[in-house]
Amino acid sequence: MSSFSWQAEATDGAARAGQLHTAHGSVPTPTFMPVGTAGTVKAMTADAVRSTGAGIVLGNTYHLMLRPGAERVRALGGLHRFMDWPGPILTDSGGFQVMSLGALRRLDADGVTFRSHIDGSEHRLTPERSTDIQHALDATITMCFDECPALPAPVEAIAASMRLSMRWAARSREAFVQREGYAQFGIVQGGTELELRAESVRALTEIGFEGYAVGGLAVGEGQALMFRTLDGTVPLLPHDKPRYLMGVGTPDDLLGGVQRGIDMFDCVMPTRAGRTARAYTGFGTLNLRNARHATDARPIEAGCPCPACSRHSRAYLHHLFRADEILGPMLLTWHNLTYYQRLMTGIRQAVLEGRLDAHAVALRAGWAQGDPPPLQTP
Amino acid sequence: MSSFSWQAEATDGAARAGQLHTAHGSVPTPTFMPVGTAGTVKAMTADAVRSTGAGIVLGNTYHLMLRPGAERVRALGGLHRFMDWPGPILTDSGGFQVMSLGALRRLDADGVTFRSHIDGSEHRLTPERSTDIQHALDATITMCFDECPALPAPVEAIAASMRLSMRWAARSREAFVQREGYAQFGIVQGGTELELRAESVRALTEIGFEGYAVGGLAVGEGQALMFRTLDGTVPLLPHDKPRYLMGVGTPDDLLGGVQRGIDMFDCVMPTRAGRTARAYTGFGTLNLRNARHATDARPIEAGCPCPACSRHSRAYLHHLFRADEILGPMLLTWHNLTYYQRLMTGIRQAVLEGRLDAHAVALRAGWAQGDPPPLQTP
């Protein structure tokens, strides 16, 4: 029934280039999804997000259910119309945010009761309710409601949590309403324990989803353990379905993820960094508040087509951040998302041309190189 | 030597439609200049400002001299390049801001010594220094350095202040470096005392400027007194030079100003209101934080081409402001500046077609009408 699909175009080692086809259009993969937590990619108009090359964005069930409320978004025509993003939208399940509430939440076998961080009001999420909310939002891709323990944790705790998440995955699937071009992704859990990861993959593939996410990583375990876990997990996933590494990451994390067979990523890093004066570039990161940028007439990154780079100097960006002008976060978020999209486009092209390893060496050399010294301007 | 000029296209009563020709392009008048205090129209990219129809923007000498510094802006290619605004820029003289510092400033016959609101460092502005700074910034239109007393004030104080400003105007003129297509405007002072205003006009026209501003209004005297002062002042100004009413104002103030012969306006109202959820429309103002907008699927103003109106509902804007999302101020500033530009375009068209009085009646009826009741959405 579903016309949702992922089609391979090329592989290079474990890496894949493909096309994700959805009810809301197609997206070349590997792809990075900017995070639009509360119905907006922070400090960006939807047109600006499109101009970076982004094809799919993420929305947060936890934030949207509390404000403005899922039923209100539905009444207003769904999240696509609400935020002016007719393209595909993936929503998380709310699980990760709710688990992060600590003392404000109470977990039971059926779901989670929690208090809103906004007004203290009590709410409840279950696999069914999370799935219903994502339906009300009109998410193109719905995520299963799961529990995600912080790492490190005792193996028994990780196993129990993963098995709870698998029971919840079955209930999420039961609650999901199939619609042409829409999808639901299962989430592999199990911490860094490869046997638990394998058990989780078996449970999810037995249920059957349109795509599979790797969750519970980038929560403190470090890049080496994350990559090792991907090495032991991704090969077990169906080869004809899209694979999504949740909440990841740095440019180097994305590269390593693609090299291990991941197709989709999301992370707040480029947008959050954009609001705190941190620029991502091909030669590493820059802090534009640093005094050495105050007189630098160069763009953040030569050749970058974003308006921060094509229209302005580093000195201007430095000035905007020093003066607490809203335009600073606006322009730097624009740049960072543009960098992330260009990164993914370059990686995808390398996969298509069978030269990902060489491309990876060049990318890592660039990041390690650092910023060339500034020009002499007064 | 100067190719700076203002050419009349039509008059309608005291109102004028014309073209301002400058080294940085031409601007149809009457025109509203968005305020770009610190080298940015707050919450707007330069492209966004252009898209509203704005033809000339204002920069603040006081803010720019303190941060990033006039010499730095000069070294970086001038304010046009710094802020990506190749069109005309008018800079104020810094006088108004410095006078507002109260205990932080000390006035003498030669100028003003003051402490920076940013770091407390001591600075000095004189007519010569203000003019030099505006030159360093590469302002298309330089304003004379003047003193502007708060109203009401004793007549003697207003007279003494005006005469000081006239001496400073002569010194500002002396310091101004004539350049093809650049201009310097004198500023008429004298509070609401028409005889003092007339004396000020005589002093300025004797010196001779490329344009004339009416200063010292909209500082607490009320609209009726402001209009009465314009009625007694504007007819005395040269008919072949542009006239600029400084720091004004509401849509109704702009309309009344044009009806009294003013060609140029600037005000922080549309941008400041945009950051505090207040929308300007043809049917008055709206506060988008108000709960009645929470479920309203209508745009702020039907037919408005700005992205807030053409892409989004009032409910979305309401949500953005409630969630403290940067996109709220971004979109609403965009709308308000678009409204102000459309207002001026409509007024200009009415002058060109000799129907300004009827247009004014229709505009005022619209503002008085208020917002039609919202649709019924859940």
Side-chain angles (χ1 to χ4, degrees), chain B residues 11 13 30 71 84-85 99 107 110 144 163 172 186 192 321-322 340 348 359-360 364 369:
Chain B
T11 58
E71 290 310 317
D84 184 29
W85 186 267
M99 302 309 158
L107 179 71
D110 188 57
C144 285
R163 286 170 193 141
S172 294
T192 56
F321 277 102
R322 286 292 180 107
Y340 265 63
R348 177 179 145 82
H359 188 63
R364 292 192 174 112
Q369 162 201 323

Side-chain angles (χ1 to χ4, degrees), chain A residues 33-282:
Chain A
M33 302 182 282
V35 177
T37 303
T40 156
V41 176
K42 288 186 193 299
M44 296 282 283
T45 65
D47 273 342
V49 176
R50 275 184 282 276
S51 81
T52 67
I56 171 171
V57 300
L58 185 139
N60 281 117
T61 286
Y62 169 77
H63 290 90
L64 291 166
M65 72 181 281
L66 296 181
R67 188 171 51 196
E71 290 309 317
R72 183 170 295 167
V73 172
R74 185 210 297 266
L76 291 162
L79 190 54
H80 301 267
R81 180 156 168 198
F82 191 58
M83 66 185 288
D84 184 29
W85 186 267
I89 299 176
L90 180 148
T91 49
D92 67 6
S93 68
F96 183 81
Q97 266 90 14
V98 168
M99 302 308 159
S100 313
L101 289 174
L104 290 172
R105 54 100 173 149
R106 200 172 59 248
L107 179 70
D108 58 58
D110 188 56
V112 190
T113 303
F114 61 96
R115 293 198 173 275
S116 159
H117 74 282
I118 300 168
D119 62 5
S121 57
E122 190 167 284
H123 297 262
R124 185 163 170 79
L125 273 178
T126 62
E128 293 76 16
R129 178 72 187 128
S130 169
T131 306
D132 289 351
I133 289 172
Q134 295 178 73
H135 191 156
L137 295 172
D138 196 28
T140 314
I141 301 175
T142 292
M143 298 303 296
C144 284
F145 188 66
D146 65 344
E147 207 222 345
C148 174
L151 298 185
V155 176
E156 302 72 31
I158 294 171
S161 166
M162 179 273 284
R163 287 169 193 143
L164 176 66
S165 287
M166 296 306 102
R167 290 193 294 276
W168 286 1
R171 287 169 51 192
S172 294
R173 189 59 173 175
E174 193 71 26
F176 180 66
V177 179
Q178 298 273 357
R179 285 147 292 158
E180 183 84 7
Y182 287 72
Q184 186 182 43
F185 283 15
I187 305 175
V188 181
Q189 290 289 358
T192 55
E193 305 298 322
L194 297 187
E195 290 187 14
L196 294 180
R197 289 278 172 184
E199 179 184 332
S200 180
V201 169
R202 284 194 300 276
L204 293 175
T205 50
E206 192 160 306
I207 300 168
F209 290 94
E210 286 78 26
Y212 295 87
V214 181
L217 291 177
V219 290
E221 76 283 1
Q223 194 194 57
L225 259 182
M226 178 174 80
F227 282 172
R228 183 180 157 278
T229 308
L230 290 179
D231 286 333
T233 304
V234 180
L236 309 176
L237 292 171
H239 282 223
D240 59 345
K241 306 287 186 194
R243 301 152 173 179
Y244 160 33
L245 178 56
M246 301 182 78
V248 173
T250 66
D252 190 54
D253 290 339
L254 301 192
L255 174 58
V258 173
Q259 289 182 304
R260 287 161 178 83
I262 298 293
D263 308 304
M264 303 165 67
F265 303 86
D266 82 284
C267 192
V268 296
M269 278 185 184
T271 39
R272 182 172 292 166
R275 298 195 300 282
T276 56
R278 191 173 177 82
Y280 285 98
T281 77

Side-chain angles (χ1 to χ4, degrees), chain B residues 42-316:
Chain B
K42 287 186 193 301
M44 296 282 283
T45 65
D47 274 342
V49 176
R50 277 185 279 276
S51 81
T52 68
I56 171 170
V57 300
L58 184 139
N60 281 118
T61 286
Y62 169 77
H63 290 91
L64 291 166
M65 72 181 281
L66 295 181
R67 188 171 54 196
E71 290 310 317
R72 183 169 295 168
V73 173
R74 186 210 294 266
L76 290 161
L79 189 55
H80 301 267
R81 181 157 169 197
F82 191 58
M83 66 186 287
D84 184 29
W85 186 267
I89 299 175
L90 180 148
T91 49
D92 67 5
S93 69
F96 183 80
Q97 266 90 12
V98 169
M99 302 309 158
S100 312
L101 290 174
L104 289 173
R105 55 99 174 152
R106 201 173 60 248
L107 179 71
D108 58 58
D110 188 57
V112 189
T113 303
F114 63 96
R115 291 196 175 277
S116 160
H117 74 283
I118 300 167
D119 62 5
S121 58
E122 189 167 285
H123 297 263
R124 186 165 171 78
L125 273 178
T126 62
E128 292 76 15
R129 179 72 187 128
S130 168
T131 306
D132 289 351
I133 289 172
Q134 295 177 75
H135 191 158
L137 295 173
D138 196 28
T140 315
I141 300 176
T142 292
M143 297 303 297
C144 285
F145 187 67
D146 65 343
E147 206 222 347
C148 173
L151 298 184
V155 176
E156 301 72 32
I158 295 172
S161 167
M162 180 275 286
R163 286 170 193 141
L164 176 65
S165 287
M166 295 307 101
R167 290 192 296 277
W168 285 1
R171 285 170 52 191
S172 294
R173 189 59 173 174
E174 194 70 25
F176 180 67
V177 178
Q178 298 274 356
R179 287 147 291 159
E180 184 83 7
Y182 287 69
Q184 186 183 43
F185 283 15
I187 304 174
V188 182
Q189 290 289 358
T192 56
E193 305 297 322
L194 298 187
E195 290 187 14
L196 295 180
R197 289 279 173 183
E199 180 184 330
S200 180
V201 170
R202 283 194 301 275
L204 293 175
T205 50
E206 191 160 308
I207 299 167
F209 289 94
E210 286 78 26
Y212 295 88
V214 181
L217 292 177
V219 290
E221 76 283 2
Q223 194 195 58
L225 259 182
M226 178 174 79
F227 282 171
R228 183 180 156 279
T229 307
L230 291 179
D231 287 332
T233 304
V234 180
L236 309 177
L237 292 171
H239 282 223
D240 59 344
K241 305 286 187 197
R243 302 150 172 182
Y244 161 32
L245 179 56
M246 302 182 78
V248 172
T250 66
D252 191 53
D253 290 339
L254 301 192
L255 175 59
V258 173
Q259 289 182 306
R260 288 163 178 82
I262 298 293
D263 308 303
M264 304 165 67
F265 303 86
D266 82 284
C267 191
V268 296
M269 279 187 183
T271 39
R272 182 171 293 167
R275 299 194 300 281
T276 56
R278 192 173 177 82
Y280 285 97
T281 77
F283 44 83
T285 59
L286 301 177
N287 185 334
L288 285 159
R289 281 189 173 273
N290 192 304
R292 75 191 179 90
H293 302 299
T295 59
D296 197 333
R298 293 177 301 170
I300 297 169
E301 187 163 29
C304 174
C306 87
C309 292
S310 62
R311 306 293 185 85
H312 294 293
S313 59
R314 292 182 186 187
Y316 185 66

